[in-house]
Amino acid sequence: MPAADFTTMADLRSSLIRKALRYAIFAADANAAAVSSPFDGSGVLQTLPEGYKAVGFTTTDGITFSGDLSTSDVESGQSSSPTRSDVETDTQTAQWVPQETNAAAVALYENLPLSGAEALATIGTAAWTWSRPLTPPTLYRRLLFIAQDLNKSTGEAIYIVRHFPSALRTGREDEQWTRTAEIARGVTYQAYVDEALGTDSKTWIDGPGWRSLAPKSNEVQSVAITGTPTGGTYTLTYSGQTTAPIVYNATAAQVRTALQALSNIGSSGVTCTGGPHPGTPVVVTFAGPLAGTDVAQMTGSAASLTGGTSPAVVVTTTTPGGA
């Protein structure tokens, strides 16, 4: 096996570290349409179905998605570790603390409908009033969570969208009235399987900034020897640096070794296939730190090639990089 380059193997990409720079929570009653796709085919965020209401500001703790995973193990006398494990349950919850006293925040906390005759009136148009029922109703909701991040290279938006098509309130925090803090109504909702969609949670990541992260093409250049030389050497020059002499009948491996010796290419900067010369071109693909970039085209010198008829080194870019 060939020697490994750790930097290439590690593939560390800070551009893939995501943060929820902005986020929003939306809730709807169970009779509202589920979100089948929040994006169009080109990654543009779409408007929500009718009936989804924004929860508004939350505390700085944001949204916490938690999971409860349990397994059952089979233990055997001949083994110190379980000989079989199976997942029994895998549930997901979302917890947040709204800061606004709006219709969505109050309805989710007090287990009230979000729409219809029993829903809270538009703010300021009528008094809000509700009573605790003797038997709490079981109200399933549709919840949607949207986080916005940015592609740091392009400044374009990246969205992370999570949908609970069927969610039930399973916990709520104390509501405290004090002159030093807002009235907050923290809740926990558990996701349940929606029969129509066949899942309890669906997540999308898309947006123009996400599409801009698509891998760029690596530049490919072909090095051909014309004139059928029978001896001697040639050189290649890349961005001002020239290789050591390369034998006229070099293999792809020999061309790669010569190019990787250049400090502006390095040990992981190119791969080579094809050859050997002079009958077959050597195909040079720029990789590693030069991957996905539009690099300078190499030039060749045939001054030290011998024999044949006017031998020459012809370099052609067959695939431009960075496209």
Side-chain angles (χ1 to χ4, degrees):
M1 297 177 64
D5 178 77
F6 179 76
T7 300
T8 302
M9 291 174 59
D11 194 24
L12 303 176
R13 299 175 63 185
S14 62
S15 62
L16 296 184
I17 298 175
R18 300 269 67 82
K19 293 182 70 175
L21 297 179
R22 298 199 298 170
Y23 61 90
I25 306 168
F26 303 89
D29 289 328
N31 59 3
V35 177
S36 58
S37 178
F39 303 95
D40 67 8
S42 60
V44 176
L45 190 66
Q46 302 294 289
T47 58
L48 301 182
E50 185 176 354
Y52 285 77
K53 300 183 183 296
V55 172
F57 280 105
T58 68
T59 60
T60 56
D61 290 332
I63 309 164
T64 300
F65 295 101
S66 300
D68 183 10
L69 178 65
S70 64
T71 61
S72 64
D73 296 336
V74 174
E75 297 183 353
S76 304
Q78 294 84 359
S79 175
S80 60
S81 60
T83 51
R84 173 169 176 164
S85 295
D86 297 282
V87 176
E88 288 192 331
T89 60
D90 184 2
T91 60
Q92 185 171 206
T93 61
Q95 188 276 332
W96 67 92
V97 182
Q99 292 178 304
E100 295 185 28
T101 298
N102 61 32
V106 173
L108 292 174
Y109 186 80
E110 298 289 352
N111 216 26
L112 305 174
L114 287 157
S115 60
E118 298 181 8
L120 296 172
T122 302
I123 291 177
T125 61
W128 281 3
T129 181
W130 60 90
S131 301
R132 288 174 56 82
L134 295 178
T135 303
T138 300
L139 291 180
Y140 285 90
R141 319 280 191 176
R142 297 196 192 277
L143 298 177
L144 191 73
F145 311 89
I146 303 179
Q148 184 190 64
D149 197 7
L150 294 177
N151 181 317
K152 67 178 184 180
S153 297
T154 66
E156 296 173 308
I158 297 174
Y159 298 102
I160 303 172
V161 180
R162 178 162 296 164
H163 186 30
F164 287 2
S166 182
L168 186 68
R169 188 190 66 175
T170 56
R172 65 178 185 177
E173 298 182 5
D174 295 338
E175 178 182 321
Q176 186 177 25
W177 294 7
T178 170
R179 67 184 299 270
T180 59
E182 76 280 8
I183 298 175
R185 301 175 176 87
V187 291
T188 300
Y189 272 78
Q190 180 173 322
Y192 288 85
V193 174
D194 180 272
E195 292 184 0
L197 298 183
T199 183
D200 65 351
S201 176
K202 188 170 183 178
T203 303
W204 299 262
I205 303 178
D206 210 338
W210 180 258
R211 299 297 177 100
S212 296
L213 292 173
K216 306 298 183 182
S217 58
N218 293 344
E219 180 140 335
V220 179
Q221 298 182 16
S222 174
V223 180
I225 306 297
T226 64
T228 319
T230 57
T233 60
Y234 70 93
T235 58
L236 293 171
T237 298
Y238 172 75
S239 290
Q241 293 191 29
T242 301
T243 64
I246 304 170
V247 66
Y248 81 101
N249 58 351
T251 63
Q254 289 172 306
V255 175
R256 183 188 70 234
T257 299
L259 289 172
Q260 289 178 342
L262 302 180
S263 63
N264 55 1
I265 290 182
S267 61
S268 61
V270 293
T271 62
C272 295
T273 58
H277 285 152
T280 304
V282 170
V283 178
V284 179
T285 300
F286 289 82
L290 301 175
T293 58
D294 184 11
V295 302
Q297 182 169 292
M298 297 182 292
T299 59
S301 172
S304 296
L305 290 175
T306 60
T309 304
S310 301
V313 179
V314 180
V315 180
T316 305
T317 297
T318 57
T319 302

